Amino acid sequence: MQRVFSGIQPSGVPTLGNYLGAIRNWVPMQDTTDCIYCVVDLHAVTAFQAPAQLLAQTREMAAALIACGLSPEKCVLFVQSHVPAHAQLGWLFNCVARIGWLNRMTQFKDKAGKDREAASAGLFVYPNLMAADILAYHANVVPVGDDQRQHLELANDIAQKFNHDYGVDFFPRIEPMIQGVAARVMSLRDGTKKMSKSDPSDQSRINLNDSDDAIADKIKRAKTDPDVLPDNLAALDARPEARNLVGILAAVTGTTPEAVLAEHAGKGFGAFKPALADALVAHLAPIRAEMNHLLQDPGALDAALRRGAEKADAIAAPILARTMDIMGFLPRR
Ligand code: TRP
């Protein structure tokens, strides 16, 4: 039996990079597999969040996920803080994971920066909560970006140590489903950097709520080079910006970069960019419209998320209870 779990932070309206690199790959799986998708608000507060912003961004991310095609009927879609098992199992895992393991996490080192003493304790134990997210559902398939690989290894170490220490075969092995580098969308200003919400320049990214004009303008001003497009992909190896734009067109038109080059070889960017802008607008306009529609009725959105949390709780609460029995806690009932 396969069960998919993935989480995404409530960082507001996603970028084209979040969409093509992650969210879009989650959509087809809900038709074939038991899928659980979670907006991880407890992870978000490992760095300070202004309350009004956390609330708004949680709704924006949830609305975006639905607008991109995740159906609250087909999958379990909810907000992490609504299901207490995450924080509770996270605590138990704080007591299983070793400080030495956490000290090796490269994301902690990157995020804490120079002043590690000033980082929240939550940021340090972030991977334990992530392990709890997945294992509270006995999920065994986790689609994530390559930057999360180390966290999944840690989750497997936790599962294995728990099983070993308590002499059980309770938590399953997690298989990472690493999203390919091919799906990686780069900055429109620098083809060697990932498209990111934290980039100071809004011109570097396309946000899923950008207007048609904003999309066209950002593509028009995207960094490129003076050469024409080649007829083979290898010739783009040293042209990261060109490679990125070709990849984006392939992704939104459902074809391959090779096929895009076969059609556009010999053209310069003056001709290529309008075709790309048109394709992006055609693909993103319906998503934007649906997202805005959902955000106009926050009551209905919240209700859908609460129903998702009930479905999630029905799976996670018994697994947490069983975990606590194994550990010898006095049964509550
Ligand atoms: N740490 C993940 C990220 O930043 C988000 C996340 C939290 C997650 N819990 C998860 C991803 C569980 C997969 C499974 O991208």
Side-chain angles (χ1 to χ4, degrees), residues 5-9 40 43 80 107 111 126 129-131 133-134 142-145 147-148 151-152:
F5 184 99
S6 199
I8 191 161
Q9 293 212 25
V40 292
H43 278 105
Q80 188 184 30
Q107 185 165 306
K111 289 206 175 166
Y126 178 114
L129 180 59
M130 181 165 161
D133 294 341
I134 302 162
V142 181
V144 280
D147 61 333
Q148 297 300 311
H151 288 162
L152 293 187

Side-chain angles (χ1 to χ4, degrees), residues 188-234:
L188 299 177
R189 310 255 83 204
D190 176 351
T192 64
K193 283 200 317 204
K194 236 172 107 169
M195 181 178 284
S196 159
K197 206 131 36 188
S198 51
D199 192 304
S201 165
D202 193 57
Q203 290 290 329
S204 72
R205 63 181 157 265
I206 289 176
N207 310 300
L208 292 193
N209 62 345
D210 280 346
S211 67
D212 293 353
D213 287 349
I215 294 170
D217 183 63
K218 285 175 178 180
I219 293 301
K220 194 157 138 197
R221 298 213 242 157
K223 185 177 169 195
T224 43
D225 56 46
D227 296 342
V228 299
L229 285 165
D231 60 6
N232 68 91
L233 207 52

